[in-house]
């Protein structure tokens, strides 16, 4: 699709609609002439060049990429009207689109009932899930793995709850024996399971945790902010297929967070929270003297903690899902390519003399480190940092990221290392662009060269 063409069509379509209302003059206080605009615009585009090339396959660093053009057109078209999805008074159509897109997300996870909405981020979506958890189990805390996103510990603090970090195994997944030890104290009301940790992409064993739900009367919340869309590959044929058990078990958990602004091709400002039991909506009850007038139907602001939210986000997600729905044949193909890229690179690293795999990738995140002599944590740390920095300079830059691995986590995977420090930075590449699939050989060769100081 031709972005310029459709952006032009967007401005015309909205102008045609605006013209059905009476004519009026824009106020002089808002008028800017083109010459002045050109100067400021030049400065803007100039300054925006001071960025990393998130779009390019040689950017293999953090969880960053531009949105799909369909999402851009959907967002900008709706933004010309600027609906607010807080209330039906603010955006009746985009509120309906939000409900439709959220229903598609709920269906993707296998929920047969749901209450949910979009949020500005995964952070706010998780806050809402933990808030509901607190209302349902007052006085009891939250358990999450050591490798869970830091937001859980932080939001426990915000909500006045006690957080219980639980040990992980040598693949970065929550250790359920350690979890059970914590649950036996009776102090935990909700367990957060992460399907796709932010650092390594590890998937907690949701299916095995289900038994603990009954045994200890706890809620299960799934933080699938990063990994959620990988459910589209659960049980798929081919190398990209994922074991289905943890993913199928999500349907039996109480709440889910997923970030369309990570793997759903959306611009930032698009997270989502889903509850299996629609009754939890009662915990959000409040009166608004301002906004809930035009309809007695449910307004999204009545089931969310945020007030104003971009209706444009809902329009962007809705339009994207019309074209690339959250199905294996749709969005699943995008994730499959990234997953194959990660597997392909891991294979190259496994036989490399210059690099070592930190652990097998479970999703599309590859973790690795330079083979150093003597093999000490301090040497791995400084070599990783040097490769990260050197990679970004020079004529053919590659962009990686580093991850701090703790001493115990590192030695559990690589007992031969001399643990002379409390941990080491390792290298990490999130291969979330489908184009990565055809660039892993280049990335591998370049990173090997960097390891040798070239
Ligand atoms: C990214 C992420 C979050 C935080 O989401 P934001 O959208 O960045 O606020 C929470 N949990 C996990 C597992 C994540 O990957």
């Amino acid at each position: 699709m031709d972005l310029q063409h459709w952006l032009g069509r967007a401005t015309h379509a909205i102008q045609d609609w605006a013209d059905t209302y009476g004519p009026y003059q824009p106020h002089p206080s808002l008028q800017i002439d083109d010459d002045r605009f050109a100067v400021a615009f030049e400065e803007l585009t100039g300054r925006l060049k001071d960025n990393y090339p998130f779009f390019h396959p040689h950017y293999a660093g953090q969880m960053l990429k531009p949105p799909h053009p369909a999402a851009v057109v959907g967002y900008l078209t709706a933004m010309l009207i600027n609906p607010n999805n807080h209330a039906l008074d603010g955006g009746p159509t985009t509120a309906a689109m939000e409900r439709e897109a959220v229903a598609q997300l709920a269906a993707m996870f296998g929920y047969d009932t749901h209450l949910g909405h979009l949020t500005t981020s995964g952070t706010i979506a998780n806050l809402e899930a933990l808030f509901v958890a607190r209302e349902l189990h007052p006085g009891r805390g939250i358990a999450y793995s050591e490798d869970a996103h830091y937001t859980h510990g932080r939001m426990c603090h915000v909500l006045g709850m006690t957080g219980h970090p639980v040990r992980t195994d040598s693949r970065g997944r929550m250790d359920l024996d350690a979890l059970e030890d914590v649950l036996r104290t009776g102090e935990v009301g909700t367990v957060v399971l992460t399907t796709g940790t932010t650092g390594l992409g590890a998937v907690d064993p949701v299916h095995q945790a289900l038994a603990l739900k009954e045994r200890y009367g706890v809620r299960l919340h799934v933080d699938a902010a990063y990994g959620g869309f990988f459910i589209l590959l659960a049980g798929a044929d081919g190398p990209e297929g994922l074991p289905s058990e943890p993913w199928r078990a999500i349907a039996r958990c109480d709440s889910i967070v997923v970030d369309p602004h990570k793997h759903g091709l959306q611009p930032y400002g698009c997270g989502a929270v889903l509850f299996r039991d629609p009754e939890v909506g009662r915990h959000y009850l409040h009166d608004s003297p301002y906004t809930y007038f035009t309809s007695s139907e449910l307004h999204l602001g009545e089931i969310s903690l945020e007030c104003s939210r971009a209706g444009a986000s809902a329009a962007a997600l809705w339009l994207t899902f019309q074209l690339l729905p959250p199905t294996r044949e749709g969005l699943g193909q995008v994730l499959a390519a990234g997953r194959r890229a990660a597997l392909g690179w891991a294979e190259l690293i496994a036989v490399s003399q210059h690099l070592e795999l930190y652990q097998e990738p479970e999703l599309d995140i590859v973790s690795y480190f330079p083979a150093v002599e003597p093999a000490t944590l301090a040497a791995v740390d400084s070599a990783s940092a040097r490769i990260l920095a050197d990679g970004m300079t020079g004529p053919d830059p590659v962009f990686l990221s580093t991850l701090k691995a703790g001493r115990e986590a590192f030695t559990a995977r690589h007992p031969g290392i001399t643990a002379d420090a409390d941990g080491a930075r390792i290298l990490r590449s999130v291969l979330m662009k489908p184009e990565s699939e055809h660039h892993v050989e280049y990335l591998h060769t370049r990173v090997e060269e960097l390891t040798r100081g070239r």
Side-chain angles (χ1 to χ4, degrees):
M1 56 174 283
D2 175 352
L3 186 59
Q4 278 183 14
H5 169 79
W6 290 108
L7 286 178
R9 288 280 295 267
T11 49
H12 285 125
I14 302 301
Q15 192 56 51
D16 289 349
W17 168 75
D19 288 345
T20 63
Y21 296 88
Y24 71 100
Q25 281 300 314
H27 194 269
S29 64
L30 298 173
Q31 271 164 16
I32 308 279
D33 70 54
D34 271 332
D35 292 341
R36 272 187 65 215
F37 185 80
V39 173
F41 186 75
E42 279 303 308
E43 185 173 354
L44 172 74
T45 51
R47 290 183 64 173
L48 284 176
K49 288 179 189 149
D50 183 14
N51 248 312
Y52 301 104
F54 308 126
F55 65 93
H56 199 280
H58 295 176
Y59 181 89
Q62 311 277 12
M63 296 170 171
L64 292 158
K65 65 174 177 180
H68 191 277
V72 174
V73 174
Y75 197 101
L76 290 174
T77 310
M79 196 198 65
L80 293 171
I81 301 172
N82 205 22
N84 184 336
N85 271 18
H86 171 236
L88 292 169
D89 309 58
T93 297
T94 46
M97 289 174 176
E98 176 166 332
R99 277 207 290 272
E100 292 169 36
V102 166
Q104 285 177 284
L105 290 174
M108 174 178 84
F109 288 111
Y111 268 9
D112 40 23
T113 56
H114 75 276
L115 181 81
H117 59 88
L118 299 181
T119 61
T120 295
S121 67
T123 299
I124 298 296
N126 276 303
L127 170 67
E128 296 207 10
L130 299 191
F131 158 70
V132 166
R134 187 192 71 183
E135 299 304 287
L136 288 167
H137 288 309
R140 291 163 74 188
I142 307 281
Y144 42 81
S145 93
E146 281 171 347
D147 279 11
H149 196 279
Y150 64 78
T151 190
H152 297 288
R154 210 185 204 189
M155 288 306 165
C156 280
H157 185 57
V158 170
L159 290 163
M161 305 169 88
T162 305
H164 301 267
V166 176
R167 194 176 62 224
T168 49
D169 67 12
S170 61
R171 296 281 300 272
R173 300 170 295 204
M174 185 188 275
D175 179 328
L176 294 191
D177 290 334
L179 172 63
E180 204 163 356
D181 288 344
V182 178
L183 295 185
R184 269 193 215 102
T185 65
E187 285 171 21
V188 168
T190 297
V191 177
V192 175
L193 299 159
T194 305
T195 53
T197 56
T198 315
L200 296 168
V203 179
D204 284 345
V206 184
H207 51 303
Q208 289 162 357
L210 285 176
L212 303 176
K213 177 174 160 65
E214 314 303 329
R215 198 172 309 152
Y216 296 97
V218 290
R219 285 175 66 78
L220 296 182
H221 167 61
V222 178
D223 182 359
Y226 183 68
F229 288 100
F230 278 97
I231 196 172
L232 300 173
L233 303 181
D237 296 331
E240 69 267 21
L242 297 174
S244 43
E245 296 84 359
W247 300 98
R248 296 287 163 246
I250 294 176
R252 294 167 62 197
C253 296
D254 299 288
S255 53
I256 307 169
V257 161
V258 62
D259 262 355
H261 69 203
K262 283 189 182 142
H263 257 303
L265 309 174
Q266 300 306 296
Y268 287 117
C270 196
V273 62
L274 307 166
F275 297 96
R276 191 174 55 166
D277 177 7
E279 284 290 303
V280 302
R282 70 184 185 279
H283 298 296
Y284 287 96
L285 265 186
H286 68 286
D287 275 327
S288 165
Y290 321 108
T291 41
Y292 305 148
F293 292 123
T294 51
S295 157
S296 56
E297 250 185 84
L298 189 72
H299 301 257
L300 289 164
E302 292 175 286
I303 53 158
S304 64
L305 293 182
E306 288 177 277
C307 295
S308 295
R309 262 194 309 108
S313 287
L317 185 60
W318 181 90
L319 185 62
T320 307
F321 279 178
Q322 298 303 300
L323 303 150
L324 291 163
T327 58
R328 189 173 295 166
E329 301 71 38
L331 197 51
Q333 298 304 309
V334 179
L335 281 101
R339 168 93 184 113
R340 287 192 300 267
L343 290 172
W345 196 355
E347 270 177 33
L348 295 174
I349 294 171
V351 297
S352 167
Q353 288 170 11
H354 306 288
L355 292 171
E356 282 191 53
L357 207 52
Y358 180 66
Q359 70 171 48
E360 285 292 330
E362 267 184 76
L363 302 178
D364 58 357
I365 302 174
V366 190
S367 52
Y368 49 100
F369 58 93
V372 287
E373 200 56 62
T376 67
L377 286 179
V380 167
D381 182 80
S382 60
S384 297
R386 181 187 59 72
I387 292 167
L388 175 78
D390 289 355
M392 292 186 278
T393 57
D396 289 316
V398 292
F399 300 85
L400 314 170
S401 70
T402 54
L403 172 72
K404 178 90 191 225
R407 177 213 304 256
E408 281 174 25
F410 202 115
T411 51
R413 291 161 176 86
H414 302 278
I417 193 93
T418 302
D420 60 344
D422 62 4
R425 278 168 290 180
I426 60 168
L427 295 164
R428 164 177 171 271
S429 287
V430 182
L431 301 178
M432 69 190 308
K433 294 184 291 279
E435 292 82 7
S436 298
E437 192 177 3
H438 300 299
H439 290 265
V440 288
E441 283 186 22
Y442 175 82
L443 289 168
H444 181 71
T445 307
R446 188 72 197 105
V447 176
E448 275 196 327
E449 283 170 5
L450 288 162
T451 308
R452 286 175 288 155
R454 295 197 207 156

